Amino acid sequence: MTVQIDPFRAISISRIAHELKAQGRSVIHMEFGQPSTGAPPKAIAEAHARLDSEAGGYWEDPKLRERIAKLYADRYGVTVDPWCIVLTAGASPALVVALSVLFQPGDVVATARPGYVAYRNTLKAMHMECVEIGCGPEVGYQMTAAALDAIEPAPKGVILASPANPTGSLIPEAELKAIAEVCARKNIKIISDEIYHGLIYEGRAPCMLEYAPDAVVVNSFSKYWSMPGWRLGWVILPAELVDQTRARMGNMFLTPATLSQRAALVAMDCEDVLESYVDVYRENRRLMLEALAQLGLATIAPPDGAFYIYADISHLTDNSIDFCERLLRATGVATAPGVDFDPVDGHRFIRFSFAVSTDEVKDAIARIIPFFNP
């Protein structure tokens, strides 16, 4: 029987936004977590040079694996064997190959709710069972060791994200360590989605490998390196899983694009530019947090990192899809309905992405204040 997957409803909102733009309307896209800053200029220049000098092909750059391993040593003090880093065409294929090598159809994998829509739907598509743990404001909308420990029987695995989508909230270091201890005691395999590392405003985002050396870590060049359209990511695995992961990667996805790998290697050494991008998002975050009182949004997830604000709008609606469409048509500001991230309570939440330019954030705030306070 064919598995039916729920749609990503933010895409429907985006489709309406593009229709309005085609009609001549001014639209601000805050529905997707897509950086507005673009790849570092030196990375783009490298891509231009490579287009003129090589044809590209099916290839995985060992120098890029080595440079990623250096990132883990420099940022976290963690030693990673470059061979245990498998390059992928973005974080999404990394998640697919990680799930396929770790679990079997029918296995139970836990995730936090709210959480990234693709966790639930990818598990379902792969005939695995997703157990979503409801995580409220009292825990920063994040997974806790106690909640994971309480699942009986214990799941085969857990997917963690810190900072998380849609909330931007972090799992505190002590809590992350406690989760690792629960997983070690109960033999729960960990997939840690660390795609928003580098985009941190409050606290620190440790790598899960600091507490669980056998964890599987997923990351991407799409967020901190501002290269979503280049479709390049990676997965780090224990040595015993690498051969099978490479077999799956080769059969299902071949290799990432040669051009993207060339550009990414240069981008990794553009720290000054990348940190200036973080400064843009930091200012956008400040503006959004200041505007919340004017919008009447008192209950939000703490945006410790990433570039999202996940806000409770239950005083205004119990239908976040309808609310987002009305907001878009009235103001030209596109947002994401909470039901994408939480099928139980998400009907009363929306997600703002402040990954757009600072001028667009200012414009969006001016447009939506009258809508929230008619």
Side-chain angles (χ1 to χ4, degrees):
M1 182 178 178
T2 302
V3 176
Q4 299 299 310
I5 301 299
D6 294 329
F8 197 163
R9 294 172 181 85
I11 294 176
S12 300
I13 296 295
S14 188
R15 187 178 300 116
I16 297 171
H18 284 286
E19 289 172 358
L20 293 176
K21 189 173 182 178
Q23 296 167 14
R25 290 281 303 278
S26 171
V27 172
I28 300 175
H29 291 280
M30 303 181 81
E31 74 273 34
F32 292 139
Q34 178 171 291
S36 60
T37 39
K42 288 183 179 179
I44 294 173
E46 177 70 10
H48 280 293
R50 292 292 179 174
L51 281 172
D52 292 333
S53 62
E54 64 184 30
Y58 301 132
W59 174 71
E60 185 189 40
D61 188 356
K63 291 182 180 179
L64 182 55
R65 293 201 308 265
E66 291 169 4
R67 183 62 183 84
I68 292 170
K70 183 178 184 300
L71 173 74
Y72 283 84
D74 294 346
R75 184 183 281 179
Y76 310 108
V78 171
T79 299
V80 175
D81 182 345
W83 180 248
C84 294
I85 300 170
V86 178
L87 300 178
T88 62
S92 297
L95 177 64
V96 169
V97 296
L99 290 172
S100 74
V101 80
L102 287 172
F103 308 115
Q104 300 292 325
D107 281 352
V108 175
V109 179
T111 64
R113 177 175 58 78
Y116 180 43
V117 59
Y119 300 153
R120 178 190 338 121
N121 286 333
T122 302
L123 284 165
K124 186 177 180 181
M126 297 180 72
H127 299 275
M128 298 167 189
E129 182 180 347
C130 179
V131 172
E132 295 183 297
I133 300 173
C135 303
E138 70 283 355
V139 292
Y141 300 92
Q142 272 286 12
M143 181 75 72
T144 66
L148 184 60
D149 200 14
I151 303 176
E152 291 295 344
K156 293 287 187 180
V158 61
I159 300 175
L160 304 172
S162 178
N165 180 5
T167 61
S169 62
L170 283 168
I171 301 175
E173 285 192 61
E175 194 68 49
L176 204 62
K177 183 177 181 181
I179 290 172
E181 291 170 352
V182 169
C183 291
R185 174 164 45 86
K186 293 197 164 186
N187 195 29
I188 300 170
K189 296 181 175 64
I190 300 170
I191 295 179
S192 183
D193 182 350
E194 300 180 0
I195 192 173
Y196 295 103
H197 278 215
L199 299 173
I200 307 298
Y201 316 107
E202 299 286 346
R204 173 179 178 263
C207 178
M208 195 65 197
L209 295 174
E210 296 177 46
Y211 308 117
D214 60 346
V216 172
V217 173
V218 170
N219 209 325
S220 167
F221 285 90
S222 292
K223 310 300 182 181
Y224 176 70
W225 287 274
S226 200
M227 298 174 68
W230 300 75
R231 307 312 305 133
L232 182 63
W234 69 87
V235 57
I236 301 174
L237 308 107
E240 64 270 17
L241 297 178
V242 171
D243 287 347
Q244 269 301 299
T245 300
R246 291 189 178 281
R248 284 161 167 76
M249 180 63 195
N251 279 282
M252 292 191 285
F253 304 110
L254 292 175
T255 66
T258 301
L259 189 66
S260 299
Q261 295 179 68
R262 296 294 197 188
L265 184 59
V266 173
M268 293 197 77
D269 290 323
C270 296
E271 185 173 352
D272 289 348
V273 173
L274 297 168
E275 288 302 312
S276 74
Y277 292 171
V278 178
D279 288 340
V280 171
Y281 305 135
R282 183 177 289 110
E283 173 63 8
N284 293 353
R285 173 183 180 270
R286 184 189 68 80
L287 292 168
M288 289 295 296
L289 290 177
E290 283 185 358
L292 291 176
Q294 295 172 281
L295 299 175
L297 301 179
T299 303
I300 66 164
D304 304 313
F307 26 56
Y308 305 119
I309 288 179
Y310 192 63
D312 187 336
I313 55 168
S314 58
H315 60 296
L316 298 172
T317 187
D318 63 356
N319 186 335
S320 59
I321 298 175
D322 174 72
F323 185 90
C324 288
E325 183 173 344
R326 288 191 289 112
L327 177 65
L328 171 59
R329 293 190 183 280
T331 69
V333 177
T335 56
V339 288
D340 270 338
F341 314 102
D342 184 344
V344 178
D345 298 315
H347 56 280
R348 54 185 179 86
F349 285 82
I350 62 171
R351 189 197 70 180
F352 297 93
S353 168
F354 53 84
V356 295
S357 70
T358 300
D359 285 343
E360 286 178 305
V361 168
K362 293 176 180 177
D363 188 5
I365 290 170
R367 293 188 195 191
I368 66 179
I369 286 175
F371 183 89
F372 279 85
N373 297 282

